[in-house]
Amino acid sequence: VAPGAAGAQPTTESVIKGGFSIPVSDAQGIKTLFSGKEMRPLGNGRVLVTQFRMTNREPALIFEAPQCVLNPQTFEVSSAGPLKLFTTDRRFSLEGEGFEWLHTKSRLVVSNNVRTLISGDLRRRPLVSTLSATATNRATNVVHEIVSDQFAYDAIAGEARYSGNVRLVDPGWRLTCALLTGILQGGGGGLSNAVAETNVAIVLLDPRRETRVTSAKAVYTSTSEGEQIALSGSPVWESPPYRGNSDAM
C-alpha cells in the first residue's frame, strides 16, 4: 500500500503482510512516510502495525517501534511498548516506553523510562558549553545523557519537556531537577534556551574539587553577546571548604 498523498488512505479491513508504506505528501514532496512489516485491522478505523517506522522530513526524525496502533485516517500512533527516536546521523536519540504521536498537532508524548543521548562537540551544544567551560582536560566529542520519567515534544514549536526525576549527565558535570524544558535544535543540536525548575542541583566534577550549586530555578539563554546561566530561588554554592548563597546568581 503506497498512496501518493494525504487523503489516499489504505483500507483497514484486511490484513497486509510482507511490508507496506504510507507516504503523506505536501507541495514539497513526501512529508512523512509510515511503514511496517504487517498491518492487521483492529476495528474503529485502527490497525495494529508490527516493525513500525515513521520517517519525518521536518523535523528530520525517525521513529521506530516493534508494535503500535495506527489510525490511517488521522495518522495518530500509540503504543504501550518501547519507542526509539533518532536523527539520521544518530547524534540525537531517545528511547522510552509508552508513547502517543498526534500527527495533526506534531506532538509526541512518551510516558515512561525516557533516555536521551546527545553526542558531539561541546562547543556546539549550548546547554552544556557554559557549565563545562570550568572543567579542564575535557574531550570535546562526548555523549550527554538525559533521563526522566516522562517526555513531551511539540515539533511545531520545537519545545522539549522532560519531567519527573530529570537527570542530565556529562563526563564533567551533572544536573538534576523535576522539570527541564528547552528548544530541541534540528540536526541533533541539543537543547537551547533551557529552563530547569524545582530542586535544581548542578555538580561540577572537577577532580581537584567538586562544586555543587542548588537553586529553585536555572535559566540558560544564548544571545549574540554570549551565553548565560541565571540561578534564582535562593541559590547556594558549595566548594569545600567554601560556601555561599545569594538571592540570585
Side-chain angles (χ1 to χ4, degrees):
V1 178
Q9 286 82 12
T11 177
T12 59
E13 299 178 355
S14 59
V15 176
I16 298 175
K17 296 183 178 182
F20 70 91
S21 63
I22 310 172
V24 179
S25 302
D26 59 14
Q28 285 73 48
I30 296 177
K31 181 179 180 180
T32 307
L33 180 64
F34 298 85
S35 61
K37 182 178 180 180
E38 183 177 289
M39 181 192 300
R40 290 182 174 273
L42 293 175
N44 297 321
R46 302 177 306 152
V47 295
L48 180 67
V49 177
T50 57
Q51 295 187 19
F52 171 79
R53 182 181 176 97
M54 184 181 91
T55 303
N56 204 54
R57 187 183 68 210
E58 185 60 40
L61 294 170
I62 298 171
F63 298 66
E64 291 184 345
Q67 190 175 81
C68 68
V69 175
L70 168 68
N71 185 327
Q73 304 299 318
T74 64
F75 300 107
E76 293 183 358
V77 185
S78 62
S79 174
L83 168 73
K84 291 184 179 181
L85 167 67
F86 51 90
T87 55
T88 54
D89 61 7
R90 303 276 180 160
R91 289 192 300 160
F92 173 90
S93 64
L94 181 145
E95 297 181 358
E97 296 180 3
F99 72 93
E100 182 179 39
W101 169 254
L102 302 178
H103 189 69
T104 57
K105 297 181 178 179
S106 295
R107 180 173 174 81
L108 171 68
V109 175
V110 184
S111 303
N112 302 287
N113 302 324
V114 179
R115 180 174 182 255
T116 298
L117 297 177
I118 302 171
S119 62
D121 191 329
L122 286 175
R123 293 167 296 179
R124 298 181 182 178
R125 301 295 178 264
L127 177 63
V128 301
S129 60
T130 301
L131 287 174
S132 299
T134 60
T136 58
N137 299 321
R138 296 292 313 283
T140 58
N141 190 22
V142 297
V143 175
H144 316 287
E145 178 185 44
I146 306 174
V147 297
S148 64
D149 294 338
Q150 292 91 33
F151 173 78
Y153 177 51
D154 183 335
I156 296 176
E159 183 179 84
R161 177 186 177 96
Y162 295 88
S163 58
N165 299 306
V166 181
R167 187 172 74 254
L168 194 160
V169 181
D170 172 88
W173 65 282
R174 66 177 180 265
L175 176 147
T176 57
C177 61
L179 176 65
L180 177 66
T181 58
I183 301 302
L184 185 60
Q185 298 179 325
L191 289 173
S192 65
N193 299 327
V195 179
E197 299 179 79
T198 310
N199 300 324
V200 178
I202 301 171
V203 179
L204 300 180
L205 305 176
D206 191 317
R208 298 169 300 178
R209 177 185 296 167
E210 181 175 290
T211 300
R212 177 182 176 87
V213 182
T214 59
S215 67
K217 187 176 184 179
V219 179
Y220 164 85
T221 56
S222 177
T223 68
S224 59
E225 298 179 354
E227 300 170 327
Q228 180 180 1
I229 295 179
L231 304 175
S232 60
S234 302
V236 176
W237 64 269
E238 296 180 87
S239 184
Y242 307 105
R243 187 178 188 272
N245 63 278
S246 176
D247 293 333
M249 292 184 183

